[in-house]
């Protein structure tokens, strides 16, 4: 049989006729309707609280809520506050991990940082002490600071910053904007991250100047981004590294697969297993209230709402993305061969 995947065409030899795989077609309007319903049904969900350890985030309007879906053909659906620029925070770890893999290969990142889940909170020092041979993964604070230190050109803060933001612009198809007030707020309060940086230096896992690497990390977390932009970033990853809106090949298919693996294994920190089990989609969260999901070959999805659960993950964004996946009966591990068709 021939399987038409949006990225590649594979001929499969099916050895037994009762293999329980389902070939399914989902229409673009079914996707739009599912997104609208997921958004509407999640609007009144309460619970959680804004991050309060970064003063700027504590003061963001907790009622803001947006949901965006971008298909692998570039079609984007936006519902709610999808143009509000919120702090990207830890979702920024994804593009910088991609950039580190572009510059140093996935094997280089595996060797210098790692690709293992910590099972511990995002800012854990204990995780570094447990695995001092590597900072585990570029998707927790320790590995993300280490990733910033790897970005070329070495020793040049402004060129490194340009490389980091240019890459985010390529992935989203439009530029993020530094939120100066958030940057000042984070810089004034990032004592735990300073401890992480120097501990990593002690284990030879910072590959450039320590304070510069931490500053780049703090700055990238302080970028303002919209859920619409994040859904395009998710779609670029889902689409084998080609931005479906601009048509630019930002990174290789191999890097898409590697970053999606990292997102699947640690995107929700100590709640990653529960998240993947219940939602069926690899996703990365940030304490600014954003969540970005990647459904390989199909779409990127992003939701934003500031109140967080105890692990730092947006309560409403989680609900909306789960509802969306359930309405379409989708799941990365369910074995279905899904094609999105016009009607
Ligand atoms: N800037 C935040 C920190 O380093 C990001 C944490 C997150 O979003 O999980 O603490």
């Amino acid at each position: 049989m021939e399987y038409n995947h949006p990225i590649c065409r594979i001929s499969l030899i099916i050895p037994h006729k009762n293999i329980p795989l389902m070939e399914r077609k989902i229409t673009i309007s079914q996707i739009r309707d599912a997104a609208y319903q997921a958004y509407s049904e999640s609007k009144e969900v309460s619970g959680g609280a804004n991050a309060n350890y970064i003063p700027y985030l504590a003061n963001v309007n907790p009622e803001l809520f947006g949901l965006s879906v971008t298909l692998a053909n570039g079609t984007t659906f936006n519902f709610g506050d999808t143009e509000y620029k919120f702090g990207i925070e830890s979702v920024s770890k994804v593009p910088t991990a991609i950039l580190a893999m572009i510059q140093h290969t996935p094997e280089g990142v595996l060797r210098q940082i790692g690709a293992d889940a910590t099972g511990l909170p995002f800012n854990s020092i204990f995780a570094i002490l447990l695995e001092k041979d590597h900072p585990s993964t570029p998707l927790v604070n320790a590995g993300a600071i280490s990733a910033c230190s790897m970005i070329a050109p070495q020793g040049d803060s402004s060129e490194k910053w340009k490389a980091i933001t240019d890459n985010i612009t390529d992935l989203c198809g439009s530029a993020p904007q530094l939120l100066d007030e958030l940057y000042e707020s984070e810089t004034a309060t990032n004592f735990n991250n300073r401890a992480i940086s120097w501990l990593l230096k002690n284990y030879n896992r910072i590959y450039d100047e320590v304070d510069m690497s931490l500053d780049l990390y703090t700055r990238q977390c302080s970028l303002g981004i919209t859920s619409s932009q994040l859904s395009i970033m998710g779609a670029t990853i889902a689409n084998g590294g080609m931005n479906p809106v601009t048509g630019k090949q930002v990174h290789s298919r191999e890097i898409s697969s590697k970053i999606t693996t990292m997102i699947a294994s640690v995107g929700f920190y100590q709640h990653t297993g529960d998240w993947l089990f219940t939602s069926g989609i690899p996703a990365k969260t940030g304490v600014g209230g954003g969540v970005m999901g990647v459904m390989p070959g199909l779409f990127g999805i992003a939701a934003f709402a500031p109140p967080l659960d105890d692990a730092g993950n947006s309560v409403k964004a989680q609900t909306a993305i789960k509802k969306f996946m359930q309405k379409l009966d989708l799941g990365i591990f369910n074995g279905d061969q899904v094609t999105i068709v016009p009607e």
Side-chain angles (χ1 to χ4, degrees):
M1 95 180 264
E2 216 161 34
Y3 165 37
N4 283 316
H5 184 279
I7 298 169
C8 59
R9 178 179 285 237
I10 309 166
S11 291
L12 293 176
I13 296 167
I14 306 285
H16 192 286
K17 61 179 179 206
N18 289 330
I19 285 188
L21 289 181
M22 251 201 334
E23 283 186 54
R24 295 173 53 207
K25 291 192 184 352
I26 299 181
T27 65
I28 292 183
S29 56
Q30 281 176 315
I31 294 197
R32 186 198 52 229
D33 293 350
Y36 177 68
Q37 286 163 11
Y39 167 76
S40 310
E41 291 170 19
S42 308
K43 245 177 159 173
E44 304 309 322
V45 167
S46 56
N50 285 27
N52 61 6
Y53 74 102
I54 299 169
Y56 176 96
L57 297 180
N59 295 323
V60 175
N61 177 1
E63 300 301 326
L64 288 163
F65 176 41
L67 177 69
S68 307
V69 181
T70 302
L71 308 183
N73 71 359
T75 306
T76 301
F77 300 116
N78 287 307
F79 299 103
D81 302 310
T82 53
E83 291 309 313
Y84 180 86
K85 289 187 172 60
F86 57 91
I88 187 172
E89 296 298 343
S90 278
V91 185
S92 68
K93 290 165 179 162
V94 172
T96 300
I98 289 173
L99 182 59
M101 288 194 270
I102 293 172
Q103 293 184 344
H104 300 274
T105 76
E107 291 66 34
V109 170
L110 180 66
R111 197 173 47 249
Q112 292 190 259
I113 299 176
D116 226 352
T118 62
L120 289 165
F122 60 92
N123 54 2
S124 176
I125 286 178
F126 194 46
I128 306 170
L129 296 172
L130 282 175
E131 294 204 56
K132 62 179 186 289
D133 57 326
H134 60 65
S136 296
T137 162
L139 302 192
V140 297
N141 288 19
I145 297 166
S146 198
C148 285
S149 78
M150 284 176 75
I151 298 305
Q154 291 292 295
D156 187 334
S157 176
S158 56
E159 284 302 310
K160 282 168 81 107
W161 177 242
K162 184 173 175 336
I164 288 169
T165 50
D166 283 354
N167 179 54
I168 295 176
T169 302
D170 286 346
L171 288 163
C172 298
S174 57
Q177 185 196 324
L178 186 68
L179 301 174
D180 293 311
E181 207 189 317
L182 176 56
Y183 175 48
E184 281 163 29
S185 188
E186 294 219 22
T187 304
T189 53
N190 64 352
F191 308 113
N192 192 80
N193 287 338
R194 292 183 214 179
I196 287 175
S197 308
W198 284 102
L199 189 57
L200 288 173
K201 173 74 177 168
N202 184 53
Y203 294 129
N204 298 317
R205 294 295 170 181
I206 294 287
Y207 305 102
D208 206 334
E209 208 267 308
V210 180
D211 289 331
M212 180 208 293
S213 305
L214 173 62
D215 177 60
L216 287 166
Y217 167 75
T218 310
R219 249 192 289 173
Q220 75 173 23
C221 287
S222 309
L223 286 168
I225 201 95
T226 66
S227 76
S228 176
Q229 285 177 304
L230 275 191
S231 77
I232 297 172
M233 185 190 293
T236 302
I237 298 169
N239 196 34
M242 196 232 251
N243 185 318
V245 175
T246 64
K248 181 168 182 174
Q249 189 72 42
V250 183
H251 57 77
S252 65
R253 286 185 63 230
E254 183 197 7
I255 289 178
S256 270
S257 145
K258 299 302 185 198
I259 193 68
T260 308
T261 306
M262 288 174 172
I263 295 171
S265 56
V266 75
F268 267 67
Y269 304 121
Q270 69 270 38
H271 289 331
T272 304
D274 287 351
W275 166 259
L276 204 50
F277 192 92
T278 52
S279 71
I281 181 168
K284 181 73 199 84
T285 67
V287 293
V291 178
M292 177 185 76
V294 177
M295 197 64 186
L298 296 179
F299 57 80
I301 185 167
F304 154 66
L308 312 176
D309 66 15
D310 61 343
N313 304 320
S314 168
V315 173
K316 219 180 260 191
Q318 291 183 67
T319 309
I321 294 175
K322 273 188 206 172
K323 280 182 183 286
F324 175 79
M325 295 296 288
Q326 283 157 4
K327 284 176 194 300
L328 294 170
D329 191 20
L330 290 171
I332 190 170
F333 296 125
N334 69 7
D336 290 354
Q337 297 168 355
V338 177
T339 314
I340 297 176
V341 293
E343 271 324 313

